[in-house]
Amino acid sequence: MHASILDYEDGTNADVFLTSDRRVSIVPGFNASRKSLSRICDRINQGFLEGEVIEGQNRSKDPEEYFVKG
């Protein structure tokens, strides 16, 4: 599942992905605020009545990884 989120309060945008049956990944947009990302996490945790928020690992990808070679 993929959802695009727009916070009308401060203009933050983020992409939310279900990356496994027990994990939700939030990818912030260019000018995402920490406050808005906290609101998104809180809302997800409230909806599932559980959860733990951890910061992802910084890892850079080679642009070639985004293209399928056929």
Side-chain angles (χ1 to χ4, degrees):
M1 197 270 318
H2 169 247
S4 292
I5 306 287
L6 175 62
D7 184 344
Y8 289 108
E9 193 169 315
D10 70 1
T12 288
N13 68 318
D15 290 304
V16 179
F17 297 94
L18 293 180
T19 52
S20 76
D21 61 341
R22 301 188 57 84
R23 180 166 292 163
V24 176
S25 297
I26 301 171
V27 180
F30 182 68
N31 285 325
S33 72
R34 189 174 284 273
K35 186 174 181 179
S36 179
L37 294 174
S38 291
R39 281 194 300 271
I40 293 169
C41 291
D42 290 345
R43 189 68 169 179
I44 291 171
N45 286 341
Q46 288 172 357
F48 289 102
L49 302 176
E50 65 179 317
E52 176 184 4
V53 178
I54 57 172
E55 189 170 327
Q57 295 120 2
N58 280 336
R59 56 182 191 145
S60 61
K61 286 194 167 201
D62 180 6
E64 294 296 318
E65 291 183 47
Y66 293 98
F67 300 99
V68 177
K69 296 180 182 178

